[in-house]
Amino acid sequence: MRLARLKTGFFVLAAAVIAGQPGLALAQEPVWRHAVAVLEAPKLPADFKQLPYVNVDAPKTGELRLSEEGTFDSLNPLVDRGNPAVGIGIVFDTLMKQSEDEVSVSYGLLAEALSYPDDMSSVSFRLRPEAKWADGEPVTPEDVIFSFNAAKENSTLFGSYYRHVVAAEKTGEREVTFRFDEKNNKELPAIVGDFPILPKHWWEGKDSAGKPRDISRTTLEPLMGSGPYKIAAVQPGSTIRYERRDDYWGKDLPINIGQNNFRTINYTYFADRDVEFEAFRAGTIDYQQENSSSRWATRYDFAAVKDGRVIREALSNPFRATGIMQAMVPNMRRDQFKDARVREALNYAFDFEDLNKNLAYGGLKRVDSFFWGTDLASSGLPEGRELEILNGLKDKVPASVFTTPFTNPVGGDPQKVRDNFRKAISLFKEAGWELKGNRMVNAKTGQPMVFEILLSSASQERSVLPYVASLKKIGVEATIRTVDSSQYVNRVRSFDYDVIWAVWAQTMNPGNEQANYWGSTSANQPGSRNYAGIADPAIDQLIRLINTAPNRAEQVAAVHALDRVLLANHFVMPLFYSGEAKIAYWNRITHPDKLPEYGIGFPTIWWSKASP
């Protein structure tokens, strides 16, 4: 999968050796491409004029007022430290830019072209000569190399994502080449175009106080970039304002036409989701993406909705090619969660049907796959190539993957709930726990089953409190601790939690990021997204099969097998999702009639209806 979605005229030397005579090195002429695709060929030709879903006549004016829950204390996008400000990506360009109308397809942005050999052992990018930083200096291969090395060294996520990229080298005046330690990984040439490029000369200079800048540290100094916006004002933890750059070098590129239409974009941070919603309702915020089904069903009945000043839409576009796993995640670095039967028992205590009826007004669906909502989700029993793959791992995976399709427990009425409680207690007993009085305790040590559920938002408490009450009925003592976003980020990065609420999003092209999610190498790597602490040889092997799959059919079979093994190990307690982006916005902003197939293009292709 490409993150967000997270190639220099090189010559590959082929040995042309005639037996008994000196070999002559023949250069393989590079094939320069305007786009890169992983699954299907790009739809747009090299001479395309604009993306098909933009309004080329969108006015370039107006202010967009947005909100964010939590806080921020950094503007540096390349380090794991701190809590980066929302929207910071619009300050920086990347080598390539994704199309929201295609799956895993990107077109040149800073790079005018890319090239890679048949074995995909490297990729080269040729930078546009007109690409400039905000101070007028050209974007150079040195900037790209500097940014890549800083990302790998200072971010666990980038380090894992680009772990197969072993070198970044200048191979021409405007060319940079990335070399890989494995071949035939179709995703590698594509994802190297995804990371933000930062100016080497700026970071090697001094700040306004005369102190040397340090790319490895957080900073609240407004950063310089090459992107369409600049940071205009910062109030740490509270607000950040971006202004569109009239001198942006790339404003007339076909990949940018009809985009970046707002003159200014302002973000205001709120500590409480309800206060944030009230700000939107009062008209001081222009746009909301609603994450609460109950609020969507009951709170959008105010006057501005009724008279059409606020528009509501429920859009499936972003989920047409995105698989979701939202779950409660027990930390297996804690002894009480190491046994899969304990983790399975915890799932039997969750009554989704009751929550969906009483709190979400029927607006949610239960997640039952790590690739939920896509064709990559496993189903039924394994067969064909998937079965062959799993048979090769038969002694390393749970036997249930061959005999029992994964299903979540079903509640919703008293009898089903009682049956689920009995099953949970039975699983606990098999794992060495027993009910003594009204407490679940370890039969050998007498240790009670007690844990804390760490949350980042008070809005999540409403869904978790019924679960805590259910756990108490089987003798499990769970408590909720909701902390501010900075503390939450730091605790999650250091795996300092018992259970958290987590979300993983998957594209239709899973790849290198899978090792960061569930690979053994990331299990004890601070900052990784392996929240559960999974370290399993079979899963490692399945990830390798996904990354080296020679064709789509082989990749899909390996992903199905991975999904099935993850589910059979009960690493998480699956929660729910609506499968729609529920958005509401004041009619002073608008979007094209036809949105992209796989996204809503917000705020890039939207515009203001206000007068200039």
Side-chain angles (χ1 to χ4, degrees), residues 336-547:
Q336 69 261 42
F337 300 127
K338 292 186 183 298
D339 194 304
R341 292 165 295 190
V342 168
R343 304 191 298 269
E344 184 180 5
L346 295 176
N347 195 27
Y348 272 93
F350 181 65
D351 189 349
F352 163 74
E353 287 72 22
D354 183 72
L355 179 148
N356 192 34
K357 176 183 176 182
N358 295 317
L359 297 183
Y361 296 84
L364 299 172
K365 300 173 184 176
R366 188 79 191 269
V367 173
D368 59 1
S369 167
F370 284 81
F371 302 86
W372 180 79
T374 72
D375 292 339
L376 296 175
S378 60
S379 62
L381 291 175
E383 57 186 24
R385 179 58 183 146
E386 180 193 356
L387 180 58
E388 291 178 6
I389 291 172
L390 290 170
N391 275 329
L393 300 168
K394 199 161 191 175
D395 59 338
K396 299 178 182 178
V397 300
S400 62
V401 302
F402 301 99
T403 61
T404 310
F406 177 84
T407 57
N408 284 301
V410 176
D413 67 55
Q415 184 57 52
K416 290 178 180 177
V417 170
R418 284 193 293 271
D419 290 343
N420 288 340
F421 284 166
R422 280 194 288 269
K423 179 64 174 177
I425 292 169
S426 174
L427 286 165
F428 269 118
K429 186 175 182 179
E430 291 176 21
W433 298 78
E434 61 184 3
L435 267 176
K436 282 193 174 181
N438 59 356
R439 303 192 81 187
M440 185 68 67
V441 299
N442 187 290
K444 291 183 178 179
T445 66
Q447 172 193 356
M449 176 57 72
V450 176
F451 58 84
E452 176 185 272
I453 301 173
L454 183 69
L455 301 177
S456 62
S457 171
S459 62
Q460 296 170 326
E461 294 177 7
R462 192 164 178 264
S463 297
V464 178
L465 282 170
Y467 180 53
V468 170
S470 291
L471 288 169
K472 189 173 183 179
K473 293 176 181 178
I474 57 172
V476 176
E477 182 182 343
T479 58
I480 295 174
R481 180 182 294 272
T482 303
V483 298
D484 65 70
S485 59
S486 293
Q487 183 179 350
Y488 183 82
V489 167
N490 288 331
R491 287 189 61 177
V492 170
R493 282 176 180 162
S494 60
F495 308 127
D496 180 19
Y497 53 83
D498 295 332
V499 176
I500 60 170
W501 179 316
V503 182
W504 292 273
Q506 301 273 9
T507 70
M508 292 300 289
N509 183 50
N512 289 343
E513 77 291 338
Q514 301 303 305
N516 186 261
Y517 295 170
W518 358 94
S520 296
T521 56
S522 64
N524 293 304
Q525 188 175 54
S528 82
R529 296 192 66 193
N530 190 342
Y531 304 131
I534 300 169
D536 185 290
I539 290 172
D540 293 338
Q541 189 166 337
L542 289 170
I543 292 171
R544 286 193 292 271
L545 288 176
I546 292 170
N547 287 335

Side-chain angles (χ1 to χ4, degrees), residues 46-292:
D47 61 350
F48 76 96
K49 303 303 182 186
Q50 76 275 323
L51 293 172
Y53 48 81
V54 303
N55 174 11
V56 297
D57 298 318
K60 302 285 188 179
T61 189
E63 176 186 34
L64 178 63
R65 298 171 300 177
L66 301 175
S67 62
E68 184 74 5
E69 187 179 6
T71 187
F72 72 95
D73 57 10
S74 177
L75 301 177
N76 188 344
L78 295 186
V79 299
D80 282 341
R81 302 175 184 86
N83 199 3
V86 64
I88 192 67
I90 61 177
V91 175
F92 309 103
D93 281 329
T94 50
L95 293 170
M96 309 293 288
K97 185 174 180 178
Q98 294 177 65
S99 166
E100 289 191 70
D101 240 12
E102 304 171 72
V103 178
S104 298
V105 176
S106 295
Y107 297 88
L109 182 52
L110 283 172
E112 64 181 5
L114 71 156
S115 177
Y116 48 85
D118 292 341
D119 66 1
M120 299 182 183
S121 58
S122 64
V123 64
S124 300
F125 295 90
R126 189 171 65 210
L127 299 177
R128 297 184 190 271
E130 68 270 32
K132 299 288 191 298
W133 298 107
D135 64 359
E137 290 293 314
V139 179
T140 66
E142 287 83 359
D143 294 317
V144 178
I145 295 167
F146 169 79
S147 302
F148 177 76
N149 290 337
K152 275 196 80 172
E153 292 169 8
N154 298 297
S155 167
T156 299
L157 180 60
F158 281 121
S160 174
Y161 194 48
Y162 294 119
R163 69 192 182 284
H164 292 300
V165 186
V166 294
E169 306 166 358
K170 181 177 180 179
T171 48
E173 182 182 358
R174 291 187 288 112
E175 296 171 7
V176 59
T177 295
F178 297 88
R179 306 198 186 278
F180 312 141
D181 66 1
E182 70 176 21
K183 299 179 180 180
N184 302 311
N185 185 331
K186 294 181 179 180
E187 189 181 43
L188 286 174
I191 66 173
V192 174
D194 286 343
F195 65 91
I197 309 301
L198 276 61
K200 182 175 186 285
H201 69 283
W202 187 88
W203 279 97
E204 291 182 342
K206 296 181 179 180
D207 62 21
S208 58
K211 297 180 179 180
R213 298 186 178 102
D214 186 348
I215 189 68
S216 69
R217 301 178 66 85
T218 62
T219 181
L220 286 168
E221 179 185 9
L223 309 183
M224 185 181 73
S226 66
Y229 286 84
K230 64 181 179 180
I231 302 170
V234 178
Q235 187 174 345
S238 179
T239 61
I240 184 167
R241 185 173 86 249
Y242 302 97
E243 289 183 0
R244 193 179 64 244
R245 292 176 49 213
D246 292 331
D247 61 348
Y248 172 46
W249 72 272
K251 61 184 177 182
D252 295 323
L253 290 178
I255 193 66
N256 284 331
I257 291 292
Q259 302 176 63
N260 307 312
N261 301 314
F262 294 101
R263 168 63 63 181
T264 61
I265 300 177
N266 299 299
Y267 286 93
T268 300
Y269 279 76
F270 293 85
D272 183 273
R273 187 71 175 88
D274 286 330
V275 176
E276 181 183 6
F277 174 74
E278 291 303 320
F280 169 73
R281 193 169 75 161
T284 60
I285 300 298
D286 295 319
Y287 175 97
Q288 284 278 87
Q289 181 158 337
E290 186 54 69
N291 61 4
S292 168

